[in-house]
Amino acid sequence: MTALLTWQGTFLCRERTTGALVQRAVDSSLDDVELVEIGIPAELLQVTFANHLRNDTGLSLQVAEGVLAGWSVTRAADGRSVNLELGGQYLSAVYRGLAVNRTGHAKDWEAFLPLSPADVEALRAIPANHWIVRSSGAPVASGDVRFSAFSGLDLGPLKVDLRWQIPFDVSAWPNRLTLLRDGWRIEQICRFRPLVYFAAFGNEAIMRQFALSVRSLVTFGGYDGDIAVLTDHSAEEIAALLPAFDRPRVLVLQCDARDRVAFMAARYTIADWADAWQYQPILYADTDTIFDADIAPILRAIACSDRISAPVEAMSPLRTSASVGAGLLQLDGCDPRSMYGFNSGTIGIPNLFEHAHTLRLIGRVIANNAALNGRDSLGYADQEVANYVSYKIGHFDTTLLSPYVRVGWDNSVPNDNRRGILHFWAVAGSAERADAMAAYSRALEAGA
């Protein structure tokens, strides 16, 4: 069915109790009204490429059912919207609170934009979410989304005319929406609902690392979004590790991992958690990570990316370094030449709609290799297989995260080179890493 958007950027509605025609803001409650629908398919009313091919600018149809039964539908003067006429009177939306009839020549306020159910869903969701304008990286909070007169949609600094967007391209919805500024300049907005997650299994030292990492994330990292942890510990045990203000925001995902190989590989099961599909972007971090600067730029960059990302390991050539999959690549006849591998302790995933299959393929290759060659056949299974899959088909981006990630040592001290993520994998021993992280956190606090 087809709904109607007024020239003022409001829905044409009908009050449930009185039957009166009224307007409602796109982001308002519709409990007391219903959208006015006309029994004409939206594809017959909207202007598409097929209209261009036919050089078709005319339109003359009649509504056969509903509250507007008997009204004629014709193309409005703007060539994009429609007018509705009955007995010489045009349906009009002069005032925000009321749709009235007017006689005479149709003006701007007699123009209505026909919407499909998918268009209505997208319009309702746009002001309910935070976004990033991909071309500029500019964040747009939900409160900065405005629908204005002349079918305007304002997303912070980005302003578009909805008449040139309908029907919406919802091929990447709900994570991304392609818009046309000035009717033809391509823009894209990316939904911003971040998730940061960890995999924390095993002994007290690992769990201490996790607690230090979470605390740094919400303090020095300035992160106020959702956090999840894949773990073999109970929700009560996780809560006991964290300050009270961190507990409500940490979602505990029970994971039945039984050994070191499983602990390392568990990160790739995030797609099995149904709620994770509602997030964009998703950032995975090893527990031995301290966040030492605002991570918003990191998350925005991931959200706007088309590829999974991980920081390059400039000391690990894919051709010779076993830790990044050199053995697997050699056995498969691959020649990565001068390429370097990446560290899988930090992984940026734009969203799961487009990338879950890659994570699941990594998991399958890890499991199959273990079944064929033994669970301990790969010393760094999570990283080796991820690099192998990336080389073959995944094409991970190793440039996006690299500027934000540094390697931490046991003598690391805060300096002017704080980039956002300090990964203490270079410190030998779980307890020693936790001690180094704690010392670095204390130094950050002292210098704050």
Side-chain angles (χ1 to χ4, degrees), residues 268-387:
Y268 301 115
T269 67
I270 189 64
D272 296 336
W273 179 42
D275 287 352
W277 290 67
Q278 305 306 311
Y279 292 92
Q280 179 179 272
I282 299 172
L283 173 66
Y284 168 78
D286 273 352
T287 57
D288 54 350
T289 296
I290 288 293
F291 298 87
D292 61 2
D294 184 9
I295 70 161
I298 302 174
L299 297 173
R300 288 197 292 264
I302 298 169
C304 292
S305 176
D306 286 326
R307 295 188 285 165
I308 298 176
S309 54
V312 68
E313 273 196 10
M315 74 292 290
S316 302
L318 280 176
R319 196 171 189 176
T320 59
S321 181
S323 66
V324 293
L328 294 173
L329 291 167
Q330 185 179 34
L331 288 171
D332 199 21
C334 303
D335 184 6
R337 299 189 179 185
S338 59
M339 294 177 63
Y340 291 98
F342 57 78
N343 186 291
S344 64
T346 311
I347 304 174
I349 307 164
N351 59 69
L352 291 176
F353 284 92
E354 297 179 24
H355 302 287
H357 67 283
T358 301
L359 302 178
R360 285 171 170 159
L361 179 58
I362 294 171
R364 171 174 282 193
V365 174
I366 290 173
N368 287 2
N369 181 80
L372 290 167
N373 302 305
R375 291 181 71 85
D376 297 321
S377 60
L378 298 176
Y380 303 90
D382 62 300
Q383 187 165 283
E384 294 179 66
V385 173
N387 274 273

Side-chain angles (χ1 to χ4, degrees), residues 127-186:
N129 288 280
H130 302 304
W131 300 90
I132 302 167
V133 179
R134 193 174 185 185
S135 62
S136 65
V140 179
S142 59
D144 293 328
V145 177
R146 297 281 187 274
F147 293 91
S148 57
F150 300 102
S151 303
L153 170 60
D154 300 343
L155 296 124
L158 175 62
K159 301 180 185 300
V160 298
D161 186 331
L162 285 168
R163 289 172 292 189
W164 299 98
Q165 322 304 323
I166 300 298
F168 280 127
D169 173 5
V170 293
S171 56
W173 186 258
N175 290 305
R176 298 180 182 186
L177 186 65
T178 299
L179 300 170
L180 299 175
R181 180 169 50 87
D182 301 330
W184 67 275
R185 302 177 192 274
I186 296 174

Side-chain angles (χ1 to χ4, degrees), residues 195-201 227-235 238 250-257 266 269-276 279:
L195 173 72
V196 178
Y197 80 101
F198 301 84
F201 299 89
I227 303 168
V229 56
L230 296 157
T231 184
D232 55 354
H233 291 256
S234 68
I238 295 297
V250 178
L251 308 165
V252 178
L253 311 177
Q254 292 295 321
C255 184
D256 191 17
T269 67
I270 189 64
D272 296 336
W273 179 42
D275 287 352
Y279 292 92

Side-chain angles (χ1 to χ4, degrees), residues 94-110:
V94 179
Y95 309 109
R96 179 165 292 276
L98 180 65
V100 299
N101 294 338
R102 289 174 60 89
T103 303
H105 183 67
K107 305 289 186 182
D108 290 327
W109 43 83
E110 277 82 50

Side-chain angles (χ1 to χ4, degrees), residues 121 176 216 288 393 396:
E121 177 189 347
R176 298 180 182 186
S216 71
D288 54 350
I393 65 169
F396 283 28

